[in-house]
Amino acid sequence: MAKLVVYSATDVRTFISTGSDINIDSDWQLSWDAAHDAATGTLSGDTDVIPRTAFDEFGTPTPTSKWKCERGFLYFDTSALGAGWTITAAILTVYVYAKQFTNAGHADLHIVEGVQDDPAQANDFGDHLLKVTSGGSIVYADIVDDAFNDITLNATGRGWINKTGTTKFCVKVSGDIDDLSPSGVSSGNAIFISNDEPPLLASRSQAVIID
């Protein structure tokens, strides 16, 4: 489960992501553009979020190169904030159980604006193609696997928090945001985020960050 902690000057509210969290996969395509720019994708069968870009070779005797792209989607019911809440800071916490990169600079983790349906639909993959403004990020080297990782939302990211409804985020790796084709045999650039992790998140201490 992911956690969103929202601060005002005098108060703190904590929200755990809902059961709507999901991953959408472009499936293997015959070109990077076909994968990255796909209008629709396949919804995963569970709530793990695995933003990824990948390249592989299949087939004999002549291998056929194929590419794929995956995007994750998070939901938080933040309606308890209310319209009058003034947000001064927000931290998104995710549990990363594994990470991998083949192409340097392709696997930094970014939070972008989420405009997905609830529940998510196949077309939500393509609807987030142009969502490339980062609302908060963590570089690959700073991501700790088998651990909770905090992402401080910037002013743009805080602006996506819906104080009277559902807050939605899309999770991408930098190779997706920057439209960088992965390369190398059996390459992969991915961050594996578990939503099966029990909500120990709610009891973790948090530092108040106000900027």
Side-chain angles (χ1 to χ4, degrees):
M1 294 180 178
K3 180 179 73 170
L4 179 65
V5 180
V6 183
Y7 301 93
S8 73
T10 58
D11 203 354
V12 181
R13 298 286 177 88
T14 298
F15 304 94
I16 302 299
S17 60
T18 73
S20 295
D21 296 350
I22 201 165
N23 207 61
I24 305 183
D25 186 337
S26 71
D27 300 317
W28 291 104
Q29 304 293 336
L30 295 178
S31 71
W32 166 245
D33 285 344
H36 180 258
D37 301 350
T40 61
T42 299
L43 279 67
S44 65
D46 58 36
T47 59
D48 280 6
V49 170
I50 309 172
R52 173 179 7 211
T53 65
F55 170 84
D56 212 336
E57 293 182 343
F58 296 93
T60 55
T62 303
T64 299
S65 299
K66 294 188 178 183
W67 290 257
K68 73 168 4 184
C69 182
E70 300 182 48
R71 294 166 186 154
F73 298 89
L74 300 174
Y75 300 78
F76 298 87
D77 178 3
T78 46
S79 59
L81 290 173
W85 185 279
T86 299
I87 299 172
T88 58
I91 298 173
L92 176 65
T93 301
V94 295
Y95 188 87
V96 175
Y97 63 89
K99 64 177 185 175
Q100 67 176 123
F101 87 95
T102 305
N103 308 118
H106 286 220
D108 300 335
L109 186 64
H110 290 267
I111 306 303
V112 302
E113 182 182 13
V115 295
Q116 67 269 24
D117 294 312
D118 187 6
Q121 305 296 318
N123 61 280
D124 287 320
F125 183 88
D127 289 347
H128 289 77
L129 171 64
L130 299 181
K131 298 297 182 182
V132 295
T133 299
S134 182
S137 64
I138 181 171
V139 299
Y140 183 88
D142 290 343
I143 297 172
V144 180
D145 56 6
D146 261 344
F148 295 101
N149 289 261
D150 293 338
I151 301 170
T152 299
L153 300 185
N154 57 30
T156 298
R158 296 195 297 271
W160 299 330
I161 296 173
N162 186 342
K163 294 183 282 188
T164 59
T166 300
T167 294
K168 304 174 184 179
F169 296 124
C170 176
V171 188
K172 294 184 176 184
V173 289
S174 47
D176 181 2
I177 284 184
D178 296 331
D179 195 6
L180 302 173
S181 176
S183 59
V185 177
S186 298
S187 69
N189 306 284
I191 307 300
F192 298 81
I193 298 170
S194 174
N195 271 332
D196 294 326
E197 192 68 20
L200 300 173
L201 298 157
S203 65
R204 297 181 66 232
S205 60
Q206 295 282 344
V208 177
I209 298 176
I210 299 176
D211 59 16

